[in-house]
Amino acid sequence: MKPQPAHVAIIMDGNGRWAKKHLLSVASGHRKGVETLREIIRFSSDNGIKVLTLFAFSTENWSRSKEEVSALMQLILEYFKSEIDELHKNNVIIRIIGDIDGLPKLQRETVLSAMQKTASNTGMYLNIALNYGGRGEILSAAKKLCKLYKDDKISLDDINEDNFQDLLYTKGQPPVDLLIRTSGEMRISNFLLYQCAYAEFIFNPVLWPDYTVEEYKKDLKAYMDRDRRFGGRTQ
Ligand code: FPP
């Protein structure tokens, strides 16, 4: 058996379809999705996953109905209020990846304070992608690099993959080993485009609110059974 992934990223898809199937509002689907998220975070942190990145809200999600966007924003507030103490107790380091400045004031303050509170913890990194887009992240890293070059802080010859990665939100973290997307959709949807260069992908058909720790264990095992070659050849 090969080692378990250091960095797992999850696209928590299917909340809307779950709600429709149960004749509930889409907000209830997301609310049920938060219960799954809680279980998966707890299991990951208890079982030695080093980095868990969850896609909670993309830069494209603002185009959803006003009701759905405000339900998601409300859930984010509730989540941090109710979970922060336990996450902190479990030594989790919270990092929000995405454009925090573009979040409403209350959400911005809440997530900034969660990051601050857990910054000196030493356990699992929990990256929550909020107002996140992969192209935007790469573009903003490129702009920062141009500025460093313009200010004579870096020369062209010194630019390499290591220092480019330091300009991404995931600075200091390993690349994604395993990307899981639930609900059967098979797309990356602008998530961690740079960090997923050699990630293994698992598309699990279960809708996110129905996804369980048992399913997660199966996906982790399927990952460990795979042969990763990173462009090389196995002997
Ligand atoms: C995709 O399902 C899911 C989202 C766009 C949001 C995911 C957010 C949460 C699980 C909760 C909020 C997060 C935190 C950190 C509290 P979808 O609605 O696109 O599903 P569909 O494709 O079936 O419509």
Side-chain angles (χ1 to χ4, degrees):
M1 187 77 84
K2 296 171 197 91
Q4 72 171 6
H7 187 165
V8 179
I10 308 183
I11 303 180
M12 311 178 283
D13 200 5
N15 296 346
R17 274 161 287 166
W18 182 91
K20 203 166 172 187
K21 202 172 114 188
H22 292 83
L23 307 175
L24 293 168
S25 67
V26 67
S28 313
H30 291 313
R31 189 168 287 279
K32 188 80 171 70
V34 175
E35 289 176 26
T36 306
L37 167 151
R38 220 176 257 131
E39 298 297 311
I40 299 301
I41 293 172
R42 191 167 303 141
F43 179 85
S44 303
S45 149
D46 288 350
N47 286 276
I49 299 293
K50 303 257 183 307
V51 187
L52 175 68
T53 305
L54 301 173
F55 206 0
F57 195 88
S58 75
T59 42
E60 290 75 30
N61 285 151
W62 296 108
S63 67
R64 295 195 175 192
S65 72
K66 230 175 84 193
E67 292 73 32
E68 184 173 355
V69 169
S70 64
L72 280 166
M73 290 298 142
Q74 182 58 30
L75 276 177
I76 288 161
L77 277 189
E78 286 175 21
Y79 175 77
F80 280 99
K81 288 219 165 85
S82 69
E83 300 300 303
I84 185 66
D85 288 340
E86 192 189 327
L87 290 167
H88 187 43
K89 196 178 84 206
N90 290 336
N91 204 16
V92 168
I93 309 150
I94 297 172
R95 262 205 200 170
I96 302 302
I97 66 166
D99 179 11
I100 296 178
D101 293 340
L103 292 172
K105 186 167 180 276
L106 206 50
Q107 280 73 8
R108 187 169 63 238
E109 287 170 358
T110 304
V111 301
L112 283 171
S113 111
M115 280 202 287
Q116 225 167 37
K117 186 175 171 116
T118 59
S120 46
N121 286 347
T122 53
M124 182 182 83
Y125 275 108
L126 172 62
N127 297 329
I128 300 193
L130 283 181
N131 199 19
Y132 173 87
R135 285 181 181 168
E137 178 184 27
I138 295 171
L139 194 62
S140 106
K143 282 186 182 170
K144 285 181 210 156
L145 197 55
C146 288
K147 173 105 176 49
L148 290 173
Y149 178 73
K150 192 169 134 248
D151 296 347
D152 271 334
K153 299 221 166 90
I154 195 164
S155 73
L156 218 45
D157 287 341
D158 284 337
I159 297 172
N160 56 41
E161 289 187 12
D162 286 338
N163 52 39
F164 187 79
Q165 281 178 58
D166 285 347
L167 301 170
L168 299 172
Y169 294 124
T170 49
K171 176 180 163 112
Q173 299 177 350
V176 176
D177 295 305
L178 169 63
L179 176 90
I180 299 170
R181 182 172 190 147
T182 58
S183 90
E185 303 292 342
M186 297 185 195
R187 291 185 291 277
I188 192 162
S189 299
N190 203 13
F191 190 41
L192 302 173
L193 298 180
Y194 193 92
Q195 297 86 341
C196 278
Y198 276 102
E200 294 293 325
F201 285 47
I202 290 185
F203 298 106
N204 189 312
V206 173
L207 302 174
W208 179 252
D210 288 331
Y211 192 73
T212 55
V213 165
E214 286 314 306
E215 282 296 320
Y216 186 41
K217 282 191 205 163
K218 271 200 285 183
D219 289 342
L220 292 172
K221 179 169 182 319
Y223 164 89
M224 289 188 269
D225 285 339
R226 287 192 190 176
D227 187 20
R228 299 185 78 194
R229 294 190 293 277
F230 300 94
R233 252 184 233 297
T234 36
Q235 304 314 311

PDB file of all heavy atoms in Angstrom, residues 12-18 26 30 33-34 37 55-57 61 64 68 72 75-76 79-80 128 130 183 185 207-208, ligand 1:
ATOM      1  N   MET A  12     -17.012  20.053  -3.502  1.00  0.00           N
ATOM      2  CA  MET A  12     -18.174  19.503  -2.790  1.00  0.00           C
ATOM      3  C   MET A  12     -19.424  19.751  -3.643  1.00  0.00           C
ATOM      4  O   MET A  12     -20.193  20.662  -3.379  1.00  0.00           O
ATOM      5  CB  MET A  12     -18.309  20.188  -1.433  1.00  0.00           C
ATOM      6  CG  MET A  12     -17.009  20.238  -0.635  1.00  0.00           C
ATOM      7  SD  MET A  12     -17.172  21.097   0.944  1.00  0.00           S
ATOM      8  CE  MET A  12     -17.191  22.812   0.440  1.00  0.00           C
ATOM      9  N   ASP A  13     -19.621  18.928  -4.661  1.00  0.00           N
ATOM     10  CA  ASP A  13     -20.673  19.211  -5.642  1.00  0.00           C
ATOM     11  C   ASP A  13     -21.916  18.358  -5.389  1.00  0.00           C
ATOM     12  O   ASP A  13     -21.806  17.221  -4.934  1.00  0.00           O
ATOM     13  CB  ASP A  13     -20.102  18.936  -7.047  1.00  0.00           C
ATOM     14  CG  ASP A  13     -20.905  19.637  -8.125  1.00  0.00           C
ATOM     15  OD1 ASP A  13     -21.838  20.401  -7.798  1.00  0.00           O
ATOM     16  OD2 ASP A  13     -20.594  19.416  -9.315  1.00  0.00           O
ATOM     17  N   GLY A  14     -23.067  18.915  -5.728  1.00  0.00           N
ATOM     18  CA  GLY A  14     -24.310  18.137  -5.687  1.00  0.00           C
ATOM     19  C   GLY A  14     -25.314  18.588  -4.646  1.00  0.00           C
ATOM     20  O   GLY A  14     -26.358  17.944  -4.482  1.00  0.00           O
ATOM     21  N   ASN A  15     -25.039  19.681  -3.957  1.00  0.00           N
ATOM     22  CA  ASN A  15     -25.988  20.151  -2.929  1.00  0.00           C
ATOM     23  C   ASN A  15     -27.338  20.520  -3.545  1.00  0.00           C
ATOM     24  O   ASN A  15     -28.393  20.231  -2.971  1.00  0.00           O
ATOM     25  CB  ASN A  15     -25.434  21.384  -2.207  1.00  0.00           C
ATOM     26  CG  ASN A  15     -24.174  21.086  -1.432  1.00  0.00           C
ATOM     27  OD1 ASN A  15     -23.844  19.933  -1.214  1.00  0.00           O
ATOM     28  ND2 ASN A  15     -23.474  22.129  -1.011  1.00  0.00           N
ATOM     29  N   GLY A  16     -27.294  21.171  -4.713  1.00  0.00           N
ATOM     30  CA  GLY A  16     -28.533  21.597  -5.385  1.00  0.00           C
ATOM     31  C   GLY A  16     -29.363  20.395  -5.803  1.00  0.00           C
ATOM     32  O   GLY A  16     -30.578  20.348  -5.571  1.00  0.00           O
ATOM     33  N   ARG A  17     -28.703  19.400  -6.399  1.00  0.00           N
ATOM     34  CA  ARG A  17     -29.433  18.204  -6.837  1.00  0.00           C
ATOM     35  C   ARG A  17     -29.981  17.417  -5.653  1.00  0.00           C
ATOM     36  O   ARG A  17     -31.085  16.885  -5.696  1.00  0.00           O
ATOM     37  CB  ARG A  17     -28.516  17.310  -7.702  1.00  0.00           C
ATOM     38  CG  ARG A  17     -28.517  17.727  -9.159  1.00  0.00           C
ATOM     39  CD  ARG A  17     -27.331  17.195  -9.896  1.00  0.00           C
ATOM     40  NE  ARG A  17     -26.120  17.915  -9.508  1.00  0.00           N
ATOM     41  CZ  ARG A  17     -24.884  17.501  -9.786  1.00  0.00           C
ATOM     42  NH1 ARG A  17     -24.691  16.356 -10.419  1.00  0.00           N
ATOM     43  NH2 ARG A  17     -23.848  18.230  -9.430  1.00  0.00           N
ATOM     44  N   TRP A  18     -29.230  17.395  -4.571  1.00  0.00           N
ATOM     45  CA  TRP A  18     -29.703  16.692  -3.368  1.00  0.00           C
ATOM     46  C   TRP A  18     -30.982  17.370  -2.863  1.00  0.00           C
ATOM     47  O   TRP A  18     -31.961  16.693  -2.512  1.00  0.00           O
ATOM     48  CB  TRP A  18     -28.617  16.723  -2.289  1.00  0.00           C
ATOM     49  CG  TRP A  18     -28.986  15.980  -1.043  1.00  0.00           C
ATOM     50  CD1 TRP A  18     -28.725  14.663  -0.769  1.00  0.00           C
ATOM     51  CD2 TRP A  18     -29.702  16.498   0.085  1.00  0.00           C
ATOM     52  NE1 TRP A  18     -29.233  14.324   0.469  1.00  0.00           N
ATOM     53  CE2 TRP A  18     -29.838  15.438   1.018  1.00  0.00           C
ATOM     54  CE3 TRP A  18     -30.248  17.736   0.407  1.00  0.00           C
ATOM     55  CZ2 TRP A  18     -30.487  15.581   2.234  1.00  0.00           C
ATOM     56  CZ3 TRP A  18     -30.900  17.887   1.628  1.00  0.00           C
ATOM     57  CH2 TRP A  18     -31.012  16.823   2.522  1.00  0.00           C
ATOM     58  N   VAL A  26     -32.636  24.989  -2.075  1.00  0.00           N
ATOM     59  CA  VAL A  26     -31.208  24.798  -2.329  1.00  0.00           C
ATOM     60  C   VAL A  26     -30.390  25.144  -1.070  1.00  0.00           C
ATOM     61  O   VAL A  26     -29.375  24.506  -0.774  1.00  0.00           O
ATOM     62  CB  VAL A  26     -30.767  25.585  -3.594  1.00  0.00           C
ATOM     63  CG1 VAL A  26     -30.850  27.073  -3.391  1.00  0.00           C
ATOM     64  CG2 VAL A  26     -29.379  25.200  -4.038  1.00  0.00           C
ATOM     65  N   HIS A  30     -27.315  23.066   0.859  1.00  0.00           N
ATOM     66  CA  HIS A  30     -26.003  23.551   1.318  1.00  0.00           C
ATOM     67  C   HIS A  30     -25.848  23.311   2.826  1.00  0.00           C
ATOM     68  O   HIS A  30     -24.778  22.960   3.301  1.00  0.00           O
ATOM     69  CB  HIS A  30     -25.854  25.044   1.010  1.00  0.00           C
ATOM     70  CG  HIS A  30     -25.742  25.338  -0.475  1.00  0.00           C
ATOM     71  ND1 HIS A  30     -24.904  24.636  -1.297  1.00  0.00           N
ATOM     72  CD2 HIS A  30     -26.373  26.252  -1.266  1.00  0.00           C
ATOM     73  CE1 HIS A  30     -25.014  25.109  -2.541  1.00  0.00           C
ATOM     74  NE2 HIS A  30     -25.901  26.086  -2.541  1.00  0.00           N
ATOM     75  N   GLY A  33     -24.938  19.985   3.339  1.00  0.00           N
ATOM     76  CA  GLY A  33     -23.545  19.865   2.883  1.00  0.00           C
ATOM     77  C   GLY A  33     -22.558  20.254   3.965  1.00  0.00           C
ATOM     78  O   GLY A  33     -21.465  19.687   4.059  1.00  0.00           O
ATOM     79  N   VAL A  34     -22.931  21.206   4.794  1.00  0.00           N
ATOM     80  CA  VAL A  34     -22.030  21.627   5.882  1.00  0.00           C
ATOM     81  C   VAL A  34     -21.850  20.488   6.892  1.00  0.00           C
ATOM     82  O   VAL A  34     -20.769  20.307   7.452  1.00  0.00           O
ATOM     83  CB  VAL A  34     -22.546  22.910   6.576  1.00  0.00           C
ATOM     84  CG1 VAL A  34     -21.676  23.272   7.765  1.00  0.00           C
ATOM     85  CG2 VAL A  34     -22.591  24.067   5.596  1.00  0.00           C
ATOM     86  N   LEU A  37     -19.253  18.282   5.474  1.00  0.00           N
ATOM     87  CA  LEU A  37     -17.962  18.973   5.566  1.00  0.00           C
ATOM     88  C   LEU A  37     -17.346  18.840   6.966  1.00  0.00           C
ATOM     89  O   LEU A  37     -16.162  18.571   7.125  1.00  0.00           O
ATOM     90  CB  LEU A  37     -18.249  20.414   5.168  1.00  0.00           C
ATOM     91  CG  LEU A  37     -17.370  21.609   5.328  1.00  0.00           C
ATOM     92  CD1 LEU A  37     -17.726  22.569   4.203  1.00  0.00           C
ATOM     93  CD2 LEU A  37     -17.619  22.310   6.613  1.00  0.00           C
ATOM     94  N   PHE A  55     -13.554  23.499  -1.642  1.00  0.00           N
ATOM     95  CA  PHE A  55     -14.057  24.564  -2.524  1.00  0.00           C
ATOM     96  C   PHE A  55     -15.442  24.974  -2.028  1.00  0.00           C
ATOM     97  O   PHE A  55     -16.425  24.270  -2.249  1.00  0.00           O
ATOM     98  CB  PHE A  55     -14.144  24.025  -3.961  1.00  0.00           C
ATOM     99  CG  PHE A  55     -14.048  25.086  -5.030  1.00  0.00           C
ATOM    100  CD1 PHE A  55     -13.901  26.423  -4.724  1.00  0.00           C
ATOM    101  CD2 PHE A  55     -14.081  24.715  -6.374  1.00  0.00           C
ATOM    102  CE1 PHE A  55     -13.789  27.386  -5.721  1.00  0.00           C
ATOM    103  CE2 PHE A  55     -13.963  25.662  -7.387  1.00  0.00           C
ATOM    104  CZ  PHE A  55     -13.825  27.008  -7.058  1.00  0.00           C
ATOM    105  N   ALA A  56     -15.515  26.098  -1.318  1.00  0.00           N
ATOM    106  CA  ALA A  56     -16.791  26.512  -0.730  1.00  0.00           C
ATOM    107  C   ALA A  56     -17.521  27.557  -1.561  1.00  0.00           C
ATOM    108  O   ALA A  56     -18.754  27.575  -1.591  1.00  0.00           O
ATOM    109  CB  ALA A  56     -16.559  27.048   0.685  1.00  0.00           C
ATOM    110  N   PHE A  57     -16.768  28.438  -2.238  1.00  0.00           N
ATOM    111  CA  PHE A  57     -17.440  29.495  -3.007  1.00  0.00           C
ATOM    112  C   PHE A  57     -16.472  30.023  -4.066  1.00  0.00           C
ATOM    113  O   PHE A  57     -15.394  30.508  -3.736  1.00  0.00           O
ATOM    114  CB  PHE A  57     -17.863  30.637  -2.060  1.00  0.00           C
ATOM    115  CG  PHE A  57     -18.862  31.579  -2.667  1.00  0.00           C
ATOM    116  CD1 PHE A  57     -20.231  31.335  -2.576  1.00  0.00           C
ATOM    117  CD2 PHE A  57     -18.433  32.702  -3.365  1.00  0.00           C
ATOM    118  CE1 PHE A  57     -21.147  32.197  -3.153  1.00  0.00           C
ATOM    119  CE2 PHE A  57     -19.350  33.570  -3.947  1.00  0.00           C
ATOM    120  CZ  PHE A  57     -20.704  33.330  -3.841  1.00  0.00           C
ATOM    121  N   ASN A  61     -19.454  31.900  -8.481  1.00  0.00           N
ATOM    122  CA  ASN A  61     -20.701  31.623  -7.748  1.00  0.00           C
ATOM    123  C   ASN A  61     -21.535  32.871  -7.446  1.00  0.00           C
ATOM    124  O   ASN A  61     -22.713  32.763  -7.124  1.00  0.00           O
ATOM    125  CB  ASN A  61     -20.430  30.864  -6.440  1.00  0.00           C
ATOM    126  CG  ASN A  61     -20.086  29.406  -6.638  1.00  0.00           C
ATOM    127  OD1 ASN A  61     -19.360  28.809  -5.848  1.00  0.00           O
ATOM    128  ND2 ASN A  61     -20.597  28.787  -7.698  1.00  0.00           N
ATOM    129  N   ARG A  64     -25.023  33.253  -9.041  1.00  0.00           N
ATOM    130  CA  ARG A  64     -26.222  32.510  -8.615  1.00  0.00           C
ATOM    131  C   ARG A  64     -27.253  33.487  -8.047  1.00  0.00           C
ATOM    132  O   ARG A  64     -26.947  34.657  -7.832  1.00  0.00           O
ATOM    133  CB  ARG A  64     -25.840  31.453  -7.574  1.00  0.00           C
ATOM    134  CG  ARG A  64     -24.931  30.410  -8.195  1.00  0.00           C
ATOM    135  CD  ARG A  64     -24.802  29.173  -7.344  1.00  0.00           C
ATOM    136  NE  ARG A  64     -24.009  28.179  -8.044  1.00  0.00           N
ATOM    137  CZ  ARG A  64     -23.900  26.915  -7.668  1.00  0.00           C
ATOM    138  NH1 ARG A  64     -24.530  26.473  -6.608  1.00  0.00           N
ATOM    139  NH2 ARG A  64     -23.163  26.072  -8.366  1.00  0.00           N
ATOM    140  N   GLU A  68     -29.612  32.394  -3.005  1.00  0.00           N
ATOM    141  CA  GLU A  68     -28.630  31.326  -2.789  1.00  0.00           C
ATOM    142  C   GLU A  68     -27.301  31.893  -2.279  1.00  0.00           C
ATOM    143  O   GLU A  68     -26.695  31.335  -1.357  1.00  0.00           O
ATOM    144  CB  GLU A  68     -28.412  30.511  -4.080  1.00  0.00           C
ATOM    145  CG  GLU A  68     -27.467  29.341  -3.819  1.00  0.00           C
ATOM    146  CD  GLU A  68     -27.319  28.365  -4.978  1.00  0.00           C
ATOM    147  OE1 GLU A  68     -28.024  28.513  -6.004  1.00  0.00           O
ATOM    148  OE2 GLU A  68     -26.488  27.452  -4.848  1.00  0.00           O
ATOM    149  N   LEU A  72     -25.542  30.995   1.314  1.00  0.00           N
ATOM    150  CA  LEU A  72     -24.168  30.485   1.453  1.00  0.00           C
ATOM    151  C   LEU A  72     -23.344  31.382   2.379  1.00  0.00           C
ATOM    152  O   LEU A  72     -22.606  30.895   3.235  1.00  0.00           O
ATOM    153  CB  LEU A  72     -23.497  30.372   0.082  1.00  0.00           C
ATOM    154  CG  LEU A  72     -23.869  29.121  -0.720  1.00  0.00           C
ATOM    155  CD1 LEU A  72     -23.449  29.258  -2.177  1.00  0.00           C
ATOM    156  CD2 LEU A  72     -23.237  27.870  -0.118  1.00  0.00           C
ATOM    157  N   LEU A  75     -24.314  30.675   5.878  1.00  0.00           N
ATOM    158  CA  LEU A  75     -23.767  29.394   6.348  1.00  0.00           C
ATOM    159  C   LEU A  75     -22.297  29.519   6.713  1.00  0.00           C
ATOM    160  O   LEU A  75     -21.832  28.912   7.682  1.00  0.00           O
ATOM    161  CB  LEU A  75     -23.900  28.338   5.242  1.00  0.00           C
ATOM    162  CG  LEU A  75     -25.233  27.623   5.150  1.00  0.00           C
ATOM    163  CD1 LEU A  75     -25.221  26.661   3.970  1.00  0.00           C
ATOM    164  CD2 LEU A  75     -25.487  26.841   6.451  1.00  0.00           C
ATOM    165  N   ILE A  76     -21.584  30.320   5.929  1.00  0.00           N
ATOM    166  CA  ILE A  76     -20.147  30.511   6.197  1.00  0.00           C
ATOM    167  C   ILE A  76     -19.976  31.154   7.581  1.00  0.00           C
ATOM    168  O   ILE A  76     -19.174  30.712   8.397  1.00  0.00           O
ATOM    169  CB  ILE A  76     -19.501  31.346   5.071  1.00  0.00           C
ATOM    170  CG1 ILE A  76     -19.396  30.482   3.812  1.00  0.00           C
ATOM    171  CG2 ILE A  76     -18.134  31.897   5.474  1.00  0.00           C
ATOM    172  CD1 ILE A  76     -19.201  31.244   2.513  1.00  0.00           C
ATOM    173  N   TYR A  79     -20.899  28.657  10.243  1.00  0.00           N
ATOM    174  CA  TYR A  79     -19.899  27.598  10.356  1.00  0.00           C
ATOM    175  C   TYR A  79     -18.714  28.057  11.208  1.00  0.00           C
ATOM    176  O   TYR A  79     -18.307  27.376  12.147  1.00  0.00           O
ATOM    177  CB  TYR A  79     -19.412  27.162   8.968  1.00  0.00           C
ATOM    178  CG  TYR A  79     -18.297  26.156   9.079  1.00  0.00           C
ATOM    179  CD1 TYR A  79     -18.572  24.836   9.406  1.00  0.00           C
ATOM    180  CD2 TYR A  79     -16.962  26.532   8.932  1.00  0.00           C
ATOM    181  CE1 TYR A  79     -17.556  23.918   9.583  1.00  0.00           C
ATOM    182  CE2 TYR A  79     -15.937  25.613   9.106  1.00  0.00           C
ATOM    183  CZ  TYR A  79     -16.241  24.310   9.431  1.00  0.00           C
ATOM    184  OH  TYR A  79     -15.232  23.401   9.618  1.00  0.00           O
ATOM    185  N   PHE A  80     -18.182  29.226  10.885  1.00  0.00           N
ATOM    186  CA  PHE A  80     -17.005  29.686  11.634  1.00  0.00           C
ATOM    187  C   PHE A  80     -17.357  29.950  13.095  1.00  0.00           C
ATOM    188  O   PHE A  80     -16.584  29.621  13.990  1.00  0.00           O
ATOM    189  CB  PHE A  80     -16.369  30.905  10.959  1.00  0.00           C
ATOM    190  CG  PHE A  80     -15.516  30.510   9.790  1.00  0.00           C
ATOM    191  CD1 PHE A  80     -15.993  30.587   8.498  1.00  0.00           C
ATOM    192  CD2 PHE A  80     -14.240  30.007  10.001  1.00  0.00           C
ATOM    193  CE1 PHE A  80     -15.213  30.189   7.420  1.00  0.00           C
ATOM    194  CE2 PHE A  80     -13.449  29.599   8.936  1.00  0.00           C
ATOM    195  CZ  PHE A  80     -13.941  29.690   7.639  1.00  0.00           C
ATOM    196  N   ILE A 128      -9.897  26.849   3.097  1.00  0.00           N
ATOM    197  CA  ILE A 128     -11.270  26.984   2.608  1.00  0.00           C
ATOM    198  C   ILE A 128     -11.253  28.000   1.477  1.00  0.00           C
ATOM    199  O   ILE A 128     -10.853  29.152   1.676  1.00  0.00           O
ATOM    200  CB  ILE A 128     -12.228  27.375   3.745  1.00  0.00           C
ATOM    201  CG1 ILE A 128     -12.177  26.280   4.811  1.00  0.00           C
ATOM    202  CG2 ILE A 128     -13.647  27.567   3.217  1.00  0.00           C
ATOM    203  CD1 ILE A 128     -13.244  26.317   5.854  1.00  0.00           C
ATOM    204  N   LEU A 130     -12.733  30.516  -0.746  1.00  0.00           N
ATOM    205  CA  LEU A 130     -13.880  31.438  -0.721  1.00  0.00           C
ATOM    206  C   LEU A 130     -13.596  32.563  -1.702  1.00  0.00           C
ATOM    207  O   LEU A 130     -12.544  33.201  -1.601  1.00  0.00           O
ATOM    208  CB  LEU A 130     -14.022  32.064   0.672  1.00  0.00           C
ATOM    209  CG  LEU A 130     -14.616  31.238   1.796  1.00  0.00           C
ATOM    210  CD1 LEU A 130     -14.668  32.073   3.078  1.00  0.00           C
ATOM    211  CD2 LEU A 130     -16.005  30.760   1.437  1.00  0.00           C
ATOM    212  N   SER A 183     -20.646  13.983  -6.871  1.00  0.00           N
ATOM    213  CA  SER A 183     -21.847  14.175  -7.705  1.00  0.00           C
ATOM    214  C   SER A 183     -21.686  13.704  -9.144  1.00  0.00           C
ATOM    215  O   SER A 183     -22.604  13.870  -9.941  1.00  0.00           O
ATOM    216  CB  SER A 183     -22.335  15.632  -7.689  1.00  0.00           C
ATOM    217  OG  SER A 183     -21.727  16.392  -8.724  1.00  0.00           O
ATOM    218  N   GLU A 185     -19.895  14.806 -11.602  1.00  0.00           N
ATOM    219  CA  GLU A 185     -19.399  15.753 -12.624  1.00  0.00           C
ATOM    220  C   GLU A 185     -17.898  15.554 -12.783  1.00  0.00           C
ATOM    221  O   GLU A 185     -17.198  15.316 -11.807  1.00  0.00           O
ATOM    222  CB  GLU A 185     -19.662  17.205 -12.200  1.00  0.00           C
ATOM    223  CG  GLU A 185     -21.116  17.551 -11.923  1.00  0.00           C
ATOM    224  CD  GLU A 185     -21.980  17.519 -13.170  1.00  0.00           C
ATOM    225  OE1 GLU A 185     -21.440  17.569 -14.293  1.00  0.00           O
ATOM    226  OE2 GLU A 185     -23.204  17.409 -13.006  1.00  0.00           O
ATOM    227  N   LEU A 207     -23.778  12.420  -4.184  1.00  0.00           N
ATOM    228  CA  LEU A 207     -23.994  13.864  -4.005  1.00  0.00           C
ATOM    229  C   LEU A 207     -23.362  14.284  -2.672  1.00  0.00           C
ATOM    230  O   LEU A 207     -23.436  13.540  -1.685  1.00  0.00           O
ATOM    231  CB  LEU A 207     -25.499  14.188  -4.003  1.00  0.00           C
ATOM    232  CG  LEU A 207     -26.273  13.772  -5.267  1.00  0.00           C
ATOM    233  CD1 LEU A 207     -27.776  14.014  -5.078  1.00  0.00           C
ATOM    234  CD2 LEU A 207     -25.760  14.496  -6.503  1.00  0.00           C
ATOM    235  N   TRP A 208     -22.788  15.473  -2.618  1.00  0.00           N
ATOM    236  CA  TRP A 208     -22.033  15.877  -1.422  1.00  0.00           C
ATOM    237  C   TRP A 208     -22.798  15.684  -0.108  1.00  0.00           C
ATOM    238  O   TRP A 208     -22.239  15.139   0.852  1.00  0.00           O
ATOM    239  CB  TRP A 208     -21.502  17.305  -1.569  1.00  0.00           C
ATOM    240  CG  TRP A 208     -20.757  17.762  -0.367  1.00  0.00           C
ATOM    241  CD1 TRP A 208     -21.154  18.682   0.551  1.00  0.00           C
ATOM    242  CD2 TRP A 208     -19.472  17.280   0.097  1.00  0.00           C
ATOM    243  NE1 TRP A 208     -20.208  18.824   1.540  1.00  0.00           N
ATOM    244  CE2 TRP A 208     -19.170  17.977   1.285  1.00  0.00           C
ATOM    245  CE3 TRP A 208     -18.562  16.326  -0.392  1.00  0.00           C
ATOM    246  CZ2 TRP A 208     -17.984  17.745   1.994  1.00  0.00           C
ATOM    247  CZ3 TRP A 208     -17.394  16.099   0.323  1.00  0.00           C
ATOM    248  CH2 TRP A 208     -17.121  16.805   1.504  1.00  0.00           C
TER     249      TRP A 208
HETATM  250  C1  FPP B   1     -21.815  22.824  -5.157  1.00  0.00           C
HETATM  251  O1  FPP B   1     -23.114  22.285  -5.168  1.00  0.00           O
HETATM  252  C2  FPP B   1     -21.553  23.425  -3.856  1.00  0.00           C
HETATM  253  C3  FPP B   1     -21.344  24.760  -3.654  1.00  0.00           C
HETATM  254  C4  FPP B   1     -21.342  25.749  -4.748  1.00  0.00           C
HETATM  255  C5  FPP B   1     -21.130  25.283  -2.311  1.00  0.00           C
HETATM  256  C6  FPP B   1     -20.468  24.374  -1.320  1.00  0.00           C
HETATM  257  C7  FPP B   1     -20.655  24.956   0.010  1.00  0.00           C
HETATM  258  C8  FPP B   1     -20.916  24.284   1.151  1.00  0.00           C
HETATM  259  C9  FPP B   1     -20.925  22.817   1.252  1.00  0.00           C
HETATM  260  C10 FPP B   1     -21.239  25.005   2.410  1.00  0.00           C
HETATM  261  C11 FPP B   1     -20.570  26.312   2.707  1.00  0.00           C
HETATM  262  C12 FPP B   1     -19.177  26.214   3.142  1.00  0.00           C
HETATM  263  C13 FPP B   1     -18.680  26.464   4.386  1.00  0.00           C
HETATM  264  C14 FPP B   1     -17.225  26.567   4.589  1.00  0.00           C
HETATM  265  C15 FPP B   1     -19.516  26.619   5.551  1.00  0.00           C
HETATM  266  P1  FPP B   1     -24.166  22.823  -6.208  1.00  0.00           P
HETATM  267  O2  FPP B   1     -25.111  23.714  -5.495  1.00  0.00           O
HETATM  268  O3  FPP B   1     -23.481  23.412  -7.396  1.00  0.00           O
HETATM  269  O4  FPP B   1     -24.874  21.471  -6.592  1.00  0.00           O
HETATM  270  P2  FPP B   1     -25.681  21.144  -7.938  1.00  0.00           P
HETATM  271  O5  FPP B   1     -24.646  21.063  -9.028  1.00  0.00           O
HETATM  272  O6  FPP B   1     -26.319  19.840  -7.625  1.00  0.00           O
HETATM  273  O7  FPP B   1     -26.669  22.263  -8.128  1.00  0.00           O
END
